[in-house]
Amino acid sequence: MERTKSHESQYASSLIEASLDPLITISIEGKITDMNQAKVDITGIERNKLIGTHFYDYFTEAEKARTFYEEVFAVGAITNFPLTIRNKSGNLTDVLFNGSVYKDDQGNILGAVVVGRDISEQKWARELQEANKELAFQNDEKEKRAAELVIANKELAFQNEVKEKRAAELILANKELAFQNDEKEKRAQELIVANKELLFQNEEKEKRAAELIIANKELALQNKEKKKLADELIIADKELDYQNEEKERRSVASKKLEAFTYSLKLASQYSLSLIEASRDPMVVISPEGKITDMNEATANITGLTRDELKGTDFLDYFTEPQKARHVYQEVFAKESVADSPLTLRHANGKLTDVLFNGSVYKDDRGNVIGVVIVARDVTEQKRIANELTEAIVFAELAVGIAEEAKEKAESAKHIAENAVKAKQQFLSNMSHEIRTPMNAIIGFTKVLLKTEFTAKQKEYLHAIKMSGDALIVLINDILDLAKVDAGKMTFEQIPFKMEASISAMLHLFETKIQEKNLKLIRKYDKNIPEVLVGDPVRLHQIILNLVSNAVKFTMKGKISVNVSLISEDDKQATVQFSVCDTGIGIPESKIEKIFENFQQASSGTSRLYGGTGLGLAIVKQLVETQGGTISVKSVVNEGSTFSFELSFLKTAEAAEIESAIHDLDTELKNITILVVEDILLNQLLMKTVLEDFGFEIDIAENGKIAIEKLRDKNYDVILMDLQMPEMNGFEATDFIRNIMNLETPIIALTADVTTVDLAKCKAVGMNDYIAKPVDERLLYSKIAGFVKKPDHKKRNDLHEIAITEDIVKSCIDLAYLNQRTKSHPKLMMEMISAYLDQTPPLILAMKQSLTEKNWDLLYASVHKMIPSFSIMGMGIDSENMAKKIQEYASTQIQSEGISELVLQLETICIQACVELKEEFNRIKQTIS
Ligand code: ADP
């Protein structure tokens, strides 16, 4: 083992010795403790001289060498540390050092072993490489430069060419210049000659100028002499001028004097003639009141001569001498007076109204010597004034008369208007009044016709029925026309299924068409949106009129009803309806006329086919007031086509009233009907018709009785008349729906299908309507429609679903409640349950107060509901609805629309309760 060890150590030391890399061992103090031959070689210092010396002594940077071995001891091992060894002779060797510590068996550090690697060669190689790279780079650069030079050369060559060209041009230019120079030289020579000539001329002129200067001097001297002489002459002249002026002045003064004296004479003559010429009387009066002078006008106005007047008393000539005296005195007192009214009397008694103006006149010392008075004849003015006053009086009178006339006209207009109103009222009332018994007549005739009679009797009965039918049509037409005239024709906007609605209506003609052996062809464009918004009742009325004309005027062939979509956009659809027949046709000359009131194509029409000529007039009104157009094409004996176009709004809503037709032969058993109708005849008729259907019926005379009956018994359908004493159909329905909460289908019986009535029917919760005279088939179909469906409340359901769908999204929003209660579950539950407790009684109070018309209570109960809307996030709409109800309630009258609003609010509140109950349960679950 010992031997092995010594072998190993020998082997190691021979390896070390053989290493060409310098190897050194260093003590902890950094002193060399051993090395190999390579180290000796690299430093050129003997082994024993190296031992004990400092490791860093043999490097170019001793400090760096020290850091190296210190780091070796500190870290344990360092690699590739670059140092440069300087050998004895000063040669430098670049070395990369690796160093690591070596330890004894106990792990104590004994020293470090450092191995260096000569990298001078590598370094040189690298430098060579670098140098090569540099050269390569330089080559590239040179190449680049050469390329640039080539380009530059080309550029230069180009420039040379350009320059050559330029040079050639310059040579040409030079030649030109040389030529020009020659020319200029020539010109210069000429100029020189010319200059010489000028010079000579100049010299001549100079000479001449000198001579002139001398001559001028001579003249100047002569001028001076002359000026002196002239000055002397001027002085002499001035003297003469002065003498002349003096003479002139004197002569002018004497002339002026003459003219002045003359003009004075003229002036006095002039003023005298003016005074004389004056048409106003002028009088001069002495202080004593005697006339001293006057003009001609005075003589004329008094009818006396100047002589007669002179010296007489001024006052004598006035109708009121006292007043004249007063004026005259006033002149003296005030020195003047203006526009005093007096009346002069002519000798012949004629009076002249005058206005007096007077002023005193004085002598040179200012003493008053008399009065001058000028009078102005104002007779004419007075006359005009009088006439004016009269005219004013007359005008006032005329105004009075005119006003009276106006009042009369207004009252006449009022009377006329009242008369028109009365006429309309009368028409409405009469047709209403006529209708009821008429309906009974027709109804009973129909009933009678079903029983056994002799052929003759049946014929009479048919005659009665036909007359009745004709009368009812006439009455309805008159009523419609009266409405159109009064501008009362209104149109509803409700969603309806057009196809179903039209086919239900055409159904009514089937029997008639079959009877006449005609064919009915229907074409309905499937592109027409299923539900459209419009007035189905009016649409029926239009088509009904056209089809019944077609049936009436067609003996053989067919009648086609065509409905097609003309255009459609996001909002609306325009539909064309045409009714085409193969009947008698209309002569071209009459085609314009047939849309006018009471116009038929020929005078014989009424006799042959009946009718009044009102139908098309109404149809045209109905189409045009809805913004549509109607036209007709017709060929005599071939047929006619009436077509009209109407636009309908599109909607996503469901249709409100379905008009499916149920056949009479469908078997219905054990059906009980409540007929609410006040008129005995109608009661009886309904009873007969319904019993004939095999239904069981009860009759109530008004709404109140109906409600009582409904408390005791269930009915399948209620037929409800609208106008009744005590409690009308609307009120009764409202009560049934909202207080009794009954959902029994209610069909309104309307004598007069107005849109207003229909809207009201819908609002209070009726399911459908039927117009009187009741068409049995339609009535049966409608009743069947309701009783066949397991859930009766067909329309109501639709109605509720529509509302509920809206509500599902927006009825409650607990964001506010969450925020207020900071989502505290218990608080939230408390709030919700408070709402749930309070709301149902409030709803009840609201409904009851509406039925009882207790407006104050209605107002108060709605008032109590309002705060909860915002707490439960029920939206501003509910609040507005409530406020609207309050507004209605404060008017203290049953307004249209209030029941609808109450119903809507009730629905919303009930829905809110349902949702809140769910919410309450949800919160409850989260905390349990
Ligand atoms: P009525 O039918 O009551 O006479 P209308 O105003 O409906 O009144 O019609 C006016 C007239 O137009 C009719 O009298 C008839 O002469 C003519 N007319 C209307 N429709 C047709 C038709 N389809 N074929 C032939 N003539 C028609």
Side-chain angles (χ1 to χ4, degrees):
M1 170 130 169
E2 273 291 294
R3 235 185 56 189
T4 342
K5 233 182 180 174
S6 92
H7 265 297
E8 273 175 14
S9 103
Q10 232 176 25
Y11 173 70
S13 52
S14 65
L15 274 183
I16 288 166
E17 273 312 310
S19 165
L20 287 173
D21 289 330
L23 196 148
I24 314 130
T25 54
I26 312 163
S27 69
I28 294 169
E29 296 77 31
K31 298 253 172 78
I32 297 175
T33 50
D34 201 0
M35 78 237 53
N36 65 355
Q37 189 54 40
K39 172 71 185 176
V40 175
D41 294 345
I42 214 164
T43 51
I45 299 168
E46 285 165 28
R47 212 178 252 257
N48 50 2
K49 288 227 173 110
L50 280 168
I51 287 176
T53 62
H54 260 293
F55 168 76
Y56 54 75
D57 280 344
Y58 307 97
F59 296 88
T60 51
E61 293 158 279
E63 252 340 283
K64 201 173 161 193
R66 181 202 291 274
T67 353
F68 166 63
Y69 81 72
E70 278 173 0
E71 258 185 79
V72 172
F73 282 113
V75 181
I78 291 286
T79 53
N80 291 331
F81 195 87
L83 284 168
T84 308
I85 296 173
R86 184 192 286 114
N87 84 357
K88 209 168 73 181
S89 49
N91 287 338
L92 302 180
T93 311
D94 285 313
V95 183
L96 277 182
F97 272 101
N98 290 338
S100 59
V101 291
Y102 69 95
K103 302 175 182 173
D104 63 10
D105 293 347
Q106 280 84 44
N108 301 319
I109 293 174
L110 300 175
V113 188
V114 172
V115 185
R117 159 121 340 139
D118 187 348
I119 53 158
S120 306
E121 301 239 331
Q122 284 171 24
K123 221 179 163 188
W124 186 69
R126 231 186 357 255
E127 275 165 10
L128 258 181
Q129 219 174 1
E130 288 298 315
N132 274 346
K133 268 191 200 155
E134 176 61 25
L135 279 172
F137 173 72
Q138 283 176 10
N139 270 348
D140 283 352
E141 282 297 298
K142 275 177 192 156
E143 203 149 318
K144 237 194 252 163
R145 182 90 190 103
E148 284 168 13
L149 279 172
V150 170
I151 292 168
N153 274 346
K154 277 189 190 153
E155 174 66 25
L156 280 171
F158 173 73
Q159 283 178 9
N160 272 345
E161 267 171 32
V162 169
K163 275 180 190 152
E164 207 149 310
K165 240 197 244 164
R166 181 93 189 103
E169 284 167 14
L170 280 174
I171 287 165
L172 274 182
N174 273 344
K175 276 188 190 152
E176 174 65 27
L177 280 172
F179 172 74
Q180 284 178 10
N181 270 346
D182 284 353
E183 283 297 295
K184 278 179 189 156
E185 184 96 288
K186 247 192 241 162
R187 179 95 188 101
Q189 288 303 329
E190 285 168 14
L191 281 173
I192 289 166
V193 175
N195 271 348
K196 275 185 191 155
E197 174 63 26
L198 280 173
L199 206 66
F200 171 73
Q201 284 178 11
N202 271 350
E203 274 167 14
E204 281 299 296
K205 276 179 188 159
E206 206 149 316
K207 241 191 248 166
R208 177 98 188 99
E211 283 166 16
L212 278 174
I213 288 165
I214 295 166
N216 273 347
K217 277 185 186 158
E218 178 61 16
L219 278 173
L221 187 79
Q222 287 176 9
N223 273 348
K224 255 189 206 162
E225 283 302 301
K226 278 181 189 157
K227 176 119 203 300
K228 233 194 248 164
L229 199 67
D231 285 348
E232 282 167 14
L233 277 173
I234 287 164
I235 294 167
D237 260 9
K238 277 188 183 157
E239 180 60 18
L240 272 172
D241 277 353
Y242 177 71
Q243 285 172 6
N244 278 342
E245 269 171 23
E246 197 55 24
K247 273 184 196 155
E248 185 107 328
R249 234 179 268 140
R250 275 186 204 144
S251 97
V252 166
S254 76
K255 270 186 195 152
K256 274 188 183 163
L257 202 66
E258 271 170 32
F260 182 66
T261 335
Y262 179 69
S263 69
L264 263 183
K265 223 197 263 165
L266 269 183
S268 82
Q269 241 172 32
Y270 176 67
S271 51
L272 274 174
S273 62
L274 273 184
I275 291 167
E276 274 312 309
S278 164
R279 308 189 104 222
D280 294 334
M282 285 171 88
V283 196
V284 183
I285 306 158
S286 68
E288 294 78 36
K290 298 279 185 234
I291 297 171
T292 53
D293 201 1
M294 76 236 66
N295 65 355
E296 195 55 33
T298 315
N300 292 342
I301 212 161
T302 51
L304 298 169
T305 63
R306 284 172 179 248
D307 289 339
E308 282 170 333
L309 284 166
K310 217 173 240 172
T312 58
D313 210 322
F314 163 71
L315 308 173
D316 290 349
Y317 306 104
F318 295 96
T319 50
E320 296 161 287
Q322 273 318 310
K323 203 171 163 194
R325 182 193 304 278
H326 184 71
V327 174
Y328 161 73
Q329 281 169 352
E330 210 179 321
V331 181
F332 278 104
K334 293 186 185 165
E335 296 209 335
S336 78
V337 73
D339 291 338
S340 271
L342 284 169
T343 309
L344 272 168
R345 187 188 288 114
H346 192 273
N348 64 13
K350 184 188 165 215
L351 301 180
T352 311
D353 288 316
V354 288
L355 284 181
F356 263 95
N357 292 316
S359 60
V360 292
Y361 76 97
K362 301 174 181 175
D363 63 11
D364 295 347
R365 289 178 296 275
N367 301 319
V368 173
I369 48 174
V371 173
V372 185
I373 282 177
V374 184
R376 160 137 313 157
D377 183 347
V378 288
T379 324
E380 189 65 7
Q381 282 175 24
K382 256 196 158 172
R383 188 184 60 77
I384 292 170
N386 280 342
E387 277 176 11
L388 200 70
T389 322
E390 273 171 26
I392 290 170
V393 173
F394 273 119
E396 278 168 0
L397 262 174
V399 169
I401 292 165
E403 269 171 5
E404 214 172 284
K406 192 179 150 209
E407 266 167 33
K408 273 187 190 155
E410 271 171 4
S411 86
K413 188 182 156 214
H414 199 63
I415 292 166
E417 276 173 358
N418 280 344
V420 170
K421 268 192 205 149
K423 183 191 109 192
Q424 282 160 2
Q425 197 56 46
F426 171 75
L427 273 176
S428 298
N429 291 350
M430 275 314 285
S431 28
H432 199 81
E433 292 303 320
I434 297 169
R435 248 192 323 204
T436 315
M438 234 16 250
N439 285 338
I441 294 172
I442 297 168
F444 284 117
T445 318
K446 277 193 211 166
V447 176
L448 273 179
L449 274 167
K450 284 185 197 158
T451 56
E452 285 298 318
F453 277 104
T454 65
K456 209 64 190 160
Q457 281 171 325
K458 270 213 167 151
E459 201 180 305
Y460 296 151
L461 278 175
H462 271 295
I464 295 175
K465 185 173 172 283
M466 266 169 68
S467 313
D469 284 342
L471 255 174
I472 274 292
V473 172
L474 175 65
I475 292 160
N476 284 335
D477 282 355
I478 289 177
L479 202 65
D480 269 347
L481 264 189
K483 248 186 257 154
V484 174
D485 281 351
K488 280 189 188 152
M489 187 65 92
T490 46
F491 296 91
E492 209 176 3
Q493 288 287 317
I494 56 159
F496 71 103
K497 286 187 178 166
M498 188 181 279
E499 187 175 8
S501 153
I502 291 174
S503 83
M505 190 212 60
L506 291 177
H507 220 68
L508 302 177
F509 288 98
E510 272 170 4
T511 336
K512 188 93 195 193
I513 286 175
Q514 270 165 17
E515 272 171 21
K516 289 189 88 174
N517 227 349
L518 299 171
K519 249 195 193 164
L520 177 67
I521 298 166
R522 306 169 217 195
K523 271 192 208 149
Y524 192 88
D525 188 343
K526 288 288 170 199
N527 292 321
I528 299 171
E530 193 190 1
V531 181
L532 287 169
V533 179
D535 192 331
V537 178
R538 296 295 173 207
L539 182 63
H540 275 191
Q541 203 177 348
I542 299 166
I543 302 178
L544 207 102
N545 255 301
L546 297 180
V547 176
S548 74
N549 274 349
V551 175
K552 188 162 71 170
F553 295 108
T554 308
M555 305 311 137
K556 61 171 197 292
K558 59 185 190 222
I559 288 155
S560 338
V561 178
N562 204 338
V563 186
S564 53
L565 183 69
I566 296 219
S567 64
E568 186 186 4
D569 59 24
D570 301 349
K571 291 195 184 119
Q572 59 175 25
T574 305
V575 181
Q576 189 190 55
F577 306 83
S578 59
V579 179
C580 185
D581 62 56
T582 53
I584 61 166
I586 306 156
E588 210 173 315
S589 59
K590 299 285 175 188
I591 226 151
E592 292 281 308
K593 293 252 174 220
I594 54 167
F595 290 104
E596 289 171 18
N597 288 355
F598 300 106
Q599 285 296 328
Q600 297 186 315
S602 78
S603 51
T605 308
S606 175
R607 190 167 28 83
L608 287 170
Y609 302 96
T612 53
L614 282 177
L616 288 179
I618 294 167
V619 162
K620 188 170 151 74
Q621 293 276 7
L622 291 179
V623 171
E624 288 177 356
T625 27
Q626 289 184 88
T629 50
I630 180 157
S631 63
V632 56
K633 276 188 202 141
S634 184
V635 177
V636 174
N637 294 330
E638 284 186 20
S640 319
T641 305
F642 285 85
S643 19
F644 66 97
E645 279 178 32
L646 279 178
S647 293
F648 298 87
L649 290 176
K650 287 166 53 167
T651 180
E653 279 178 63
E656 295 199 3
I657 295 173
E658 269 182 41
S659 325
I661 286 284
H662 296 266
D663 277 340
L664 253 176
D665 33 282
T666 36
E667 277 281 300
L668 292 176
K669 292 225 162 73
N670 302 328
I671 306 292
T672 49
I673 311 268
L674 177 64
V675 177
V676 192
E677 165 72 71
D678 58 324
I679 297 170
L680 198 68
L681 270 176
N682 287 346
Q683 290 173 3
L684 210 57
L685 181 60
M686 288 314 277
K687 191 168 150 62
T688 326
V689 170
L690 293 169
E691 279 177 354
D692 206 31
F693 292 153
F695 300 161
E696 188 188 311
I697 89 152
D698 277 340
I699 292 190
E701 280 97 73
N702 59 44
K704 259 198 177 145
I705 299 170
I707 287 164
E708 272 155 31
K709 290 200 181 286
L710 281 162
R711 284 197 214 279
D712 305 334
K713 189 172 167 184
N714 276 335
Y715 293 91
D716 294 301
V717 172
I718 303 167
L719 295 176
M720 179 81 77
D721 186 28
L722 298 179
Q723 305 305 331
M724 288 177 294
E726 294 268 338
M727 183 188 249
N728 68 32
F730 301 113
E731 293 163 332
T733 309
D734 192 30
F735 193 92
I736 295 166
R737 289 281 181 261
N738 301 321
I739 309 294
M740 299 176 83
N741 279 326
L742 282 182
E743 285 167 350
T744 319
I746 301 177
I747 302 175
L749 296 168
T750 63
D752 166 20
V753 186
T754 69
T755 47
V756 183
D757 281 347
L758 286 190
K760 266 200 208 166
C761 291
K762 207 173 60 187
V764 292
M766 291 188 186
N767 303 69
D768 205 343
Y769 71 93
I770 186 160
K772 293 192 227 169
V774 172
D775 181 282
E776 277 172 50
R777 206 183 152 83
L778 195 65
L779 177 65
Y780 185 87
S781 153
K782 286 195 190 247
I783 295 174
F786 285 114
V787 294
K788 274 168 84 185
K789 289 210 167 181
D791 52 333
H792 297 149
K793 26 160 199 157
K794 186 166 56 170
R795 196 197 66 84
N796 258 12
D797 270 356
L798 283 176
H799 183 66
E800 262 176 26
I801 288 162
I803 295 175
T804 324
E805 267 172 9
D806 275 357
I807 293 163
V808 166
K809 286 170 233 131
S810 62
C811 193
I812 62 159
D813 175 3
L814 294 184
Y816 177 77
L817 195 61
N818 265 311
Q819 184 202 334
R820 290 315 304 251
T821 58
K822 299 201 171 71
S823 299
H824 194 287
K826 279 220 169 115
L827 265 177
M828 281 187 71
M829 280 167 69
E830 256 172 50
M831 299 285 281
I832 293 174
S833 87
Y835 179 86
L836 291 174
D837 289 346
Q838 151 205 310
T839 306
L842 282 178
I843 296 176
L844 202 68
M846 170 174 80
K847 289 196 312 186
Q848 226 150 21
S849 55
L850 176 67
T851 329
E852 288 158 12
K853 298 194 177 138
N854 184 343
W855 308 119
D856 293 334
L857 181 62
L858 176 62
Y859 189 97
S861 49
V862 172
H863 191 75
K864 279 188 204 147
M865 285 183 188
I866 293 178
S868 62
F869 295 156
S870 59
I871 298 172
M872 297 304 160
M874 285 165 65
I876 194 76
D877 284 349
S878 335
E879 201 169 321
N880 289 342
M881 216 179 277
K883 284 186 179 153
K884 194 100 207 158
I885 295 174
Q886 284 187 315
E887 258 173 53
Y888 276 137
S890 7
T891 63
Q892 304 270 322
I893 39 171
Q894 169 90 47
S895 337
E896 255 176 51
I898 188 162
S899 325
E900 173 80 337
L901 280 171
V902 167
L903 179 65
Q904 281 180 16
L905 193 64
E906 180 197 356
T907 322
I908 291 177
C909 291
I910 291 172
Q911 181 63 27
C913 286
V914 172
E915 285 177 31
L916 285 169
K917 228 173 253 168
E918 281 170 16
E919 201 61 32
F920 182 90
N921 291 335
R922 198 188 53 74
I923 303 172
K924 200 172 168 189
Q925 272 175 6
T926 56
I927 55 169
S928 60

